[in-house]
Amino acid sequence: HLYIPKAVERGAAAVLCERKPDADVPYIRVASAREALARLGANWFGHPADAMTMVGITGTNGKTSSTIILKSVLEQTLGAKVGLIGTIQNMIGDEVLHTERTTPESFELQALFAKMRDAGCTHVVMEVSSHALTLSRVAGVRFAVGAFTNLTEDHLDFHKDMEDYFTSKLKIFTQSRIGCVNLDMDPVYMERTLAFAEQNCEKTVTFGMEKVGDRKPDVYGISVDEKQGWLLLKAELFGKTEEFTVNIGGAYNAYNALAAIAVTASLGVPTEIIREGLETVKVMGRMETYRLKDSVDVIVDYAHNKMSYQVLFDYVKKQYPDRKVGFVFGCVGGKAFNRRKEAGEIAEKYADFVVITELDPGMEDINKICGEILSYIDHKEKAEIIADRDTAVYTALKKAEGMENCVLVLAGGSDAYMKRGNKVYPSDTDGERVQKFLKKIGK
């Protein structure tokens, strides 16, 4: 409302608002301007989401991997053209589009849906953040399938408490025909999540690797055989035992694969087609592995919070038990301040050498952020601060190259942009930084 006079001054013919404006201008009054904007956007672009099969995934962890796995399965095996909306990037088929937030604002989102529809997309898989559900960015979108992966503490700079964070995510089921629920979710939230999905969706499909009392998940992970760079997953699909080769490392990615299996099975995709898709899937920024030389490997992963750091280093210790470990990472500015302590403690516990660098510092001073992280590392002699991420990654790669029996972990740098001040700048991903380094050294 503060900007209505300025909008009128610049030529606005009318305003859509929640209370009568002070300016002398025609107005449309609504209960929620955000929800109205979402519906206005859908009308303006001709309800593009209605022309495609929509899949939405929410949860604290696993959204990005699950959506990319889904995209791969649908495209490689069904021949569908699939739109992707997520944290790392948006995509229309093979075309990569810049993104600055997990779920765009509603009008921008509807414009993106329209581009996908006009480009011939038959399906859209998208991450649906708690912010998007709270702020009505996806209002009016009807999901064929909505999935809830898990819930751990996050985004409490935006949500007033965990209950608010949790209930915001539940809203996805009010917009979904089929609800997919992880039965291995924190028991504090699982029963309520399942009950809400069953209450609001036509059908509910469960997945997980544990039985809950006498209840077995519909998509039940029986066992995971973890290899370097891939998984052998044995699972029971609605009572029938199947085996899947998943072309992603890290046992925790079995959950992302199970989520993808549950969603695709809910859409009626045959098991054999799901199996073919999982065999060839590649998730950018998720357990990407590069070799500098025979005894030195690099792992690029999007890990950026306590849970994802822990599962990443559990994998590193299991698959590379006798190697020195390097760790390059940073923490975002202006929010999630608890991650600085968590990241510092992880670095102290698991890494032999550490480079602390930038990760979307925004309006906060990068050296202040890095200094706070460093304060939680007891053995400070093994850590250094290099604010510029390009330089930080290059320095760590050069150090690892000069060592024997080393694995270098690059965490969090999978986005193709960096938020500095109030601007967003194009940026290489850590994977691209490694590829440039390999090219430079002739590998």
Side-chain angles (χ1 to χ4, degrees):
H1 280 257
L2 292 173
Y3 297 98
I4 289 175
K6 181 64 70 175
V8 173
E9 181 183 315
R10 293 184 176 183
V15 296
L16 187 149
C17 50
E18 296 177 5
R19 61 181 184 272
K20 184 177 179 179
D22 295 331
D24 183 18
V25 61
Y27 66 94
I28 302 168
R29 187 174 178 181
V30 295
S32 168
R34 283 191 171 276
E35 184 171 347
L37 176 63
R39 297 184 184 280
L40 184 154
N43 290 340
W44 182 262
F45 291 104
H47 296 271
D50 294 351
M52 300 175 287
T53 299
M54 307 295 296
V55 176
I57 297 183
T58 195
T60 307
N61 296 293
K63 297 188 298 297
T64 300
S65 294
S66 296
T67 53
I68 294 175
I69 291 171
L70 278 166
K71 183 178 188 295
S72 176
V73 171
L74 292 170
E75 285 190 334
Q76 294 184 39
T77 56
L78 289 185
K81 187 169 186 177
V82 181
L84 174 75
I85 299 174
T87 303
I88 295 177
Q89 61 190 11
N90 297 331
M91 298 182 72
I92 300 177
D94 294 330
E95 181 188 359
V96 177
L97 306 175
H98 173 67
T99 181
E100 294 181 13
R101 52 166 59 97
T102 300
T103 313
E105 289 289 358
S106 58
F107 197 83
E108 179 187 353
L109 180 64
Q110 292 294 335
L112 185 55
F113 288 157
K115 286 183 179 180
M116 291 175 173
R117 175 200 59 197
D118 296 345
C121 289
T122 57
H123 295 68
V124 175
V125 292
M126 63 180 294
E127 299 179 48
V128 184
S129 67
S130 60
H131 295 67
L133 290 160
T134 300
L135 300 175
S136 300
R137 292 176 188 163
V138 290
V141 177
R142 184 67 177 167
F143 296 105
V145 183
F148 198 144
T149 59
N150 51 55
L151 193 82
T152 58
E153 185 174 312
D154 204 359
H155 298 307
L156 296 188
D157 55 307
F158 176 80
H159 297 282
K160 61 183 179 181
D161 52 32
M162 280 295 292
E163 180 66 14
D164 181 54
Y165 178 44
F166 171 57
T167 54
S168 72
K169 286 189 172 294
L170 285 179
K171 292 176 183 176
I172 194 170
F173 294 126
T174 66
Q175 299 173 227
S176 301
R177 183 172 63 84
I178 300 172
C180 288
V181 178
N182 180 9
L183 288 192
D184 294 352
M185 191 186 302
D186 186 333
V188 173
Y189 303 107
M190 187 279 291
E191 290 290 353
R192 291 171 62 191
T193 302
L194 183 60
F196 194 84
E198 290 175 339
Q199 179 183 348
N200 288 275
C201 301
E202 295 177 15
K203 178 183 178 181
T204 303
V205 175
T206 58
F207 63 95
M209 301 191 73
E210 301 290 340
K211 295 179 182 179
V212 180
D214 295 331
R215 181 167 51 202
K216 184 190 295 183
D218 298 314
V219 178
Y220 175 44
I222 299 170
S223 64
V224 181
D225 189 3
E226 185 178 19
K227 310 293 185 180
Q228 278 193 16
W230 62 281
L231 306 170
L232 182 62
L233 173 63
K234 188 176 182 180
E236 192 176 287
L237 273 64
F238 306 98
K240 185 178 180 181
T241 302
E242 305 281 355
E243 283 194 349
F244 301 90
T245 298
V246 185
N247 191 38
I248 310 172
Y252 62 93
N253 275 309
Y255 277 105
N256 300 325
L258 285 174
I261 292 168
V263 170
T264 47
S266 299
L267 291 172
V269 179
T271 301
E272 189 55 43
I273 289 180
I274 298 173
R275 182 181 291 109
E276 291 175 13
L278 292 174
E279 286 176 356
T280 56
V281 67
K282 183 173 178 61
V283 181
M284 186 186 76
R286 286 293 185 273
M287 301 302 298
E288 286 186 77
T289 303
Y290 301 89
R291 177 148 291 179
L292 294 188
K293 58 184 185 181
D294 286 345
S295 62
V296 180
D297 291 294
V298 181
I299 297 174
V300 174
D301 194 81
Y302 189 66
H304 60 288
N305 58 27
K306 184 177 181 179
M307 179 180 177
S308 54
Y309 284 143
Q310 188 61 59
V311 294
L312 173 58
F313 280 101
D314 285 347
Y315 171 81
V316 169
K317 286 300 181 183
K318 182 177 180 181
Q319 297 297 327
Y320 305 91
D322 301 318
R323 295 199 190 185
K324 295 288 186 182
V325 177
F327 186 24
V328 179
F329 68 102
C331 292
V332 296
K335 62 180 182 179
F337 299 102
N338 59 309
R339 290 184 186 171
R340 299 173 193 185
K341 179 176 185 292
E342 294 166 355
E345 290 174 346
I346 286 283
E348 170 64 29
K349 183 176 181 179
Y350 292 104
D352 296 288
F353 70 92
V354 174
V355 179
I356 306 169
T357 188
E358 62 182 339
L359 180 66
D360 293 338
M363 300 301 292
E364 197 172 352
D365 179 72
I366 179 59
N367 289 300
K368 175 179 175 291
I369 298 171
C370 294
E372 287 184 19
I373 298 169
L374 182 62
S375 70
Y376 296 106
I377 299 177
D378 294 334
H379 293 82
K380 291 180 173 50
E381 70 280 358
K382 70 179 182 180
E384 63 179 314
I385 294 172
I386 302 177
D388 177 73
R389 193 166 188 111
D390 287 334
T391 305
V393 171
Y394 179 84
T395 301
L397 287 167
K398 196 69 179 173
K399 182 169 184 175
E401 184 198 13
M403 300 174 67
E404 300 293 334
N405 298 316
C406 173
V407 57
L408 176 63
V409 176
L410 308 178
S414 297
D415 294 335
Y417 61 88
M418 190 71 69
K419 296 176 183 176
R420 302 186 186 104
N422 58 4
K423 293 184 179 180
V424 176
Y425 297 88
S427 170
D428 283 343
T429 66
D430 281 350
E432 289 169 335
R433 294 180 178 101
V434 176
Q435 292 166 32
K436 286 182 178 180
F437 182 83
L438 289 172
K439 187 175 180 179
K440 189 171 184 176
I441 64 175
K443 291 294 184 75

